[in-house]
Amino acid sequence: MDTFINEALFYFKFDVSTRVVKDDIVDKFGNNYMKQFGLQVPCSFDEVINRFVECGYADIMFMVGMSIKNITCDGLLTAFAEGQNYVESSFYKPDNGRHYRLMYILERDDITGHVLATVMCTDVTDIEKMRLHSLTKSLYSAQKQAEDLEYKLKIIHSMSQFYKYIYYCDLESEVYREVYCDSDYVHDIMGEVGNIHIAIRDMCRLLVKPEYTKEVNEFTDFTTLKKRLKGKKFITKSFEGPYTGWLESVFFPVEVSDTGNFTQVIFALRDISYEKERENQLIYNSYVDELTKLYNRKMFNENLLEYVNGGIPNNLVLFSIDVNGLKVVNDTLGHAAGDELLCGVADCLRNAFKQHGKIFRLGGDEYAAIIYVSPENRSGLINHLEHLVKEWHGSLVDKISISYGYVTKEECHGKTIYEMAKLADKKMYKSKEEYYSQKGVDRRGMNSARDALGVMYYKVIKVNVLDDSYQIVHMDEKMGEDLKRPPKASDLVESYVRSGYIHPDDVDKFINGFNHQVIREFFASGKKCYSFSYKRKINGRYRAVKMELVPSDGYGETNNTLFCYIKKRTR
């Protein structure tokens, strides 16, 4: 008590039961509060408290149990009756910015039976500042921890979208803790806590195929982990499991100091089966022709390179194959028929050669094959191919024809694989020339014929009036057309009209002349040439031209392809 009195700014005693303050309240600096308040003793304690409030001090209250009470005599008596011998309150002086504490020590007078109170006031400004600082620091620390926890939870939630198993590993204590696990089987093996050297490697052994065990053991070696992770954000290893498909394991440090040291890491595994599947599909697509599903030119070139580096086997036979008449099929029957022809050739080659080697579609109508067959079985294999080609029939194309040439290691002694490929091409082209010669087709004269068309006609268009498709075969550069090519023949006709290429007087004639129904009925009657004249714009001027439509070879119910010729001059 004496210690508190010595430290007090002021103290006084009064009888709580009678509510009377008999002595002046004087602080240790000599300030008389009773005079400041304009009070004379004896006076009511409640009046003293009211003057404290009126002079701008904060409300003076205290706790009784879980209730807040004003500092009044009734309040103090209630506190004493409930067993409180000590009551505390505080107030603030605006004039000096200081905080004060009022302490009331309550006791009963043995003689009168009254409740007496000793009141002491102490300056607690510095203590309050320290308390507020400590509280602020605690609140900041708690907030920071909450933010860190929330951040970590967000990370864990985000990781759980990708990773099947996540473990927090302490490299100093060599203990891991389970963060997330979506498998009861793995959870039962690992548990929530375990030794990093034993459990994690055991888990990997159970999850990986035997051929990956050595690599996984090296990856999960915690004795070398710091060295392998130094200067890196993470390290990964992929492996295939007997039941889980492809998994990717990853280590990354939790916190890294300025010197690059760390003591905690996250170990996680995620399912990458879909990615591996997609990767394999991309690799497959890069080596396989989309239409025929044969290997493509890229694979062919890589195979040739293998023979440069590894030598050429004695029983190797290299084929060069080309489809006869593909352009004619595309031009007359359409590209769907052309695709059927290309796939038909691929099927014949596949059925004949697949068990003996690889078949490739190099592009367009070009194919190649690298097979391994003994000299005594070679002719039988070639006869089998020719039989398959002869017996093939499609739904859009009735038959196929190929030209091929082949070379063997025996006849190309000392030659490279690339020289063998050139020789096989040479033999194939010779076979192709013989095929067209037998058909009475002068392939070398085709360019001259095309040039002659250019002299006679402004434009040559191949039109299929059944599916409304078209293809521009020839167009004079002097026509100066800048139209975008629409996909349908009827749209092309409309675009010429809209763009002003057809003379206004001849628009109806031009549109009616291209009526597909009229054209089909005309040729169905057995007539061979359909024609009409009109004026169209050529190099900025309207000129008289003549349109002639002639059916292609094989024109009929299923083939409505015809050629449209626009003549340069009329008589």
Side-chain angles (χ1 to χ4, degrees):
M1 175 74 74
D2 292 339
T3 302
F4 286 116
I5 290 174
N6 292 332
E7 292 179 355
L9 179 65
F10 62 80
Y11 80 95
F12 63 93
K13 293 183 179 182
F14 78 98
D15 189 327
V16 181
S17 298
T18 62
R19 295 172 169 79
V20 175
V21 178
K22 295 181 179 180
D23 301 316
D24 285 334
I25 303 174
V26 181
D27 66 19
K28 62 182 180 181
F29 301 109
N31 298 313
N32 189 324
Y33 286 85
M34 302 300 274
K35 289 183 178 180
Q36 289 182 18
F37 295 158
L39 297 175
Q40 292 182 353
V41 294
C43 63
S44 167
F45 173 74
D46 292 344
E47 192 174 357
V48 173
I49 292 300
N50 289 335
R51 291 298 177 89
F52 265 89
V53 175
E54 290 172 4
C55 289
Y57 301 134
D59 290 343
I60 302 174
M61 297 177 291
F62 71 101
M63 293 290 295
V64 178
M66 296 301 293
S67 302
I68 300 177
K69 302 288 185 181
N70 288 323
I71 296 295
T72 64
C73 289
D74 288 339
L76 293 173
L77 290 171
T78 302
F80 187 75
E82 294 182 2
Q84 288 187 232
N85 296 321
Y86 172 81
V87 174
E88 182 180 294
S89 66
S90 61
F91 66 90
Y92 172 71
K93 289 188 68 176
D95 58 345
N96 61 8
R98 308 293 290 181
H99 292 270
Y100 297 93
R101 180 183 297 156
L102 284 173
M103 294 178 289
Y104 302 81
I105 301 172
L106 304 175
E107 57 185 346
R108 188 178 294 278
D109 189 308
D110 294 336
I111 299 173
T112 62
H114 292 183
V115 177
L116 305 178
T118 300
V119 183
M120 290 177 287
C121 177
T122 56
D123 188 331
V124 293
T125 302
D126 293 337
I127 297 174
E128 186 68 14
K129 286 181 178 178
M130 291 177 62
R131 187 184 71 82
L132 289 173
H133 175 73
S134 177
L135 179 61
T136 303
K137 187 175 180 181
S138 298
L139 288 173
Y140 175 77
S141 177
Q143 182 183 4
K144 189 73 169 65
Q145 289 177 4
E147 290 175 353
D148 290 345
L149 178 60
E150 183 181 3
Y151 177 68
K152 289 176 181 178
L153 288 173
K154 285 182 179 179
I155 292 176
I156 291 170
H157 176 72
S158 176
M159 290 179 65
S160 68
Q161 308 301 307
F162 302 97
Y163 290 92
K164 295 170 70 70
Y165 322 110
I166 306 172
Y167 297 92
Y168 179 88
C169 305
D170 190 306
L171 302 183
E172 291 186 342
S173 64
E174 300 184 349
V175 171
Y176 70 83
R177 295 183 182 277
E178 179 187 286
V179 177
Y180 174 79
C181 180
D182 79 343
S183 167
D184 292 338
Y185 172 67
V186 174
H187 175 77
D188 291 341
I189 296 170
M190 296 288 291
E192 294 184 358
V193 181
N195 181 274
I196 58 178
H197 295 288
I198 300 172
I200 289 183
R201 300 183 81 174
D202 284 346
M203 179 185 71
C204 291
R205 288 190 188 97
L206 292 169
L207 293 178
V208 305
K209 287 185 175 180
E211 56 263 36
Y212 297 99
T213 300
K214 182 180 178 182
E215 296 177 32
V216 172
N217 284 343
E218 292 174 354
F219 181 74
T220 56
D221 185 353
F222 284 88
T223 61
T224 62
L225 184 60
K226 282 190 177 183
K227 182 178 180 180
R228 287 182 287 129
L229 258 177
K230 187 175 183 180
K232 299 177 182 177
K233 293 183 178 179
F234 58 87
I235 56 174
T236 63
K237 187 69 181 178
S238 300
F239 56 84
E240 190 176 6
Y243 313 109
T244 58
W246 278 92
L247 294 173
E248 180 187 69
S249 55
V250 58
F251 280 111
F252 55 87
V254 177
E255 291 184 7
V256 181
S257 67
D258 294 338
T259 59
N261 293 321
F262 56 89
T263 56
Q264 292 89 30
V265 296
I266 292 291
F267 174 68
L269 296 100
R270 69 186 183 99
D271 188 340
I272 58 169
S273 299
Y274 174 76
E275 295 172 29
K276 273 291 183 180
E277 222 174 277
R278 184 172 176 81
E279 178 184 331
N280 292 335
Q281 185 64 44
L282 290 172
I283 294 173
Y284 173 84
N285 292 344
S286 70
Y287 285 106
V288 174
D289 175 60
E290 184 178 359
L291 176 65
T292 63
K293 307 308 178 188
L294 296 178
Y295 290 121
N296 58 19
R297 181 178 289 277
K298 179 182 178 182
M299 178 64 88
F300 179 68
N301 291 336
E302 291 190 11
N303 273 243
L304 295 185
L305 187 61
E306 291 177 7
Y307 297 118
V308 172
N309 299 326
I312 304 172
N314 291 326
N315 63 340
L316 183 142
V317 182
L318 198 157
F319 278 81
S320 175
I321 306 112
D322 200 274
V323 184
N324 295 325
L326 175 63
K327 188 176 186 308
V328 175
V329 171
N330 280 333
D331 289 346
T332 58
L333 301 180
H335 287 280
D339 289 347
E340 182 185 63
L341 186 67
L342 292 170
C343 291
V345 173
D347 289 340
C348 292
L349 293 172
R350 189 182 288 112
N351 292 331
F353 293 156
K354 186 175 182 180
Q355 295 182 355
H356 302 274
K358 293 181 179 178
I359 310 103
F360 311 85
R361 183 189 174 203
L362 305 183
D365 55 3
E366 301 176 48
Y367 295 79
I370 300 174
I371 64 173
Y372 304 93
V373 61
S374 62
E376 53 270 24
N377 294 327
R378 190 184 307 147
S379 59
L381 196 65
I382 294 171
N383 290 337
H384 180 49
L385 171 63
E386 292 178 345
H387 173 75
L388 291 170
V389 170
K390 183 178 179 181
E391 294 298 317
W392 184 90
H393 298 283
S395 58
L396 301 177
V397 184
D398 183 56
K399 59 183 178 179
I400 57 177
S401 172
I402 62 171
S403 298
Y404 64 86
Y406 68 89
V407 293
T408 66
K409 171 68 183 299
E410 302 167 312
E411 64 183 289
C412 296
H413 182 72
K415 294 184 181 295
T416 67
I417 191 69
Y418 297 112
E419 291 171 331
M420 290 179 64
K422 287 182 180 179
L423 183 57
D425 283 343
K426 186 176 180 180
K427 289 186 175 183
M428 180 273 293
Y429 285 122
K430 182 178 180 181
S431 171
K432 201 170 189 70
E433 290 296 334
E434 291 174 355
Y435 166 81
Y436 282 111
S437 177
Q438 292 173 4
K439 294 289 183 180
V441 178
D442 181 9
R443 300 181 74 220
R444 287 171 294 185
M446 288 183 178
N447 290 336
S448 299
R450 190 177 295 110
D451 293 340
L453 282 175
V455 174
M456 296 176 61
Y457 301 102
Y458 280 117
K459 183 183 288 186
V460 179
I461 305 175
K462 183 185 71 173
V463 180
N464 188 322
V465 293
L466 192 62
D467 62 10
D468 199 21
S469 63
Y470 72 96
Q471 178 185 350
I472 295 177
V473 178
H474 167 77
M475 184 174 71
D476 193 325
E477 293 179 358
K478 294 180 181 179
M479 295 185 74
E481 293 180 3
D482 55 358
L483 293 174
K484 291 183 178 179
R485 308 298 177 201
K488 295 182 179 181
S490 56
D491 294 335
L492 182 65
V493 171
E494 292 180 4
S495 68
Y496 277 117
V497 173
R498 286 196 308 269
S499 302
Y501 280 95
I502 309 303
H503 194 283
D505 295 341
D506 294 336
V507 167
D508 290 340
K509 182 193 294 187
F510 181 73
I511 293 175
N512 293 331
F514 261 108
N515 185 292
H516 290 182
Q517 184 62 33
V518 172
I519 293 172
R520 284 198 296 270
E521 291 175 357
F522 180 88
F523 287 117
S525 66
K527 297 177 181 178
K528 299 299 182 183
C529 182
Y530 174 88
S531 64
F532 61 92
S533 299
Y534 63 98
K535 294 184 288 298
R536 62 152 292 148
K537 188 178 292 184
I538 298 176
N539 202 20
R541 296 176 59 188
Y542 287 110
R543 299 177 183 273
V545 296
K546 185 176 183 180
M547 175 81 72
E548 294 180 349
L549 286 87
V550 179
S552 65
D553 294 339
Y555 184 93
E557 290 185 6
T558 59
N559 176 16
N560 279 187
T561 304
L562 49 88
F563 289 91
C564 171
Y565 301 95
I566 302 175
K567 299 185 71 170
K568 283 190 172 184
R569 48 188 177 273
T570 58
R571 296 184 182 276

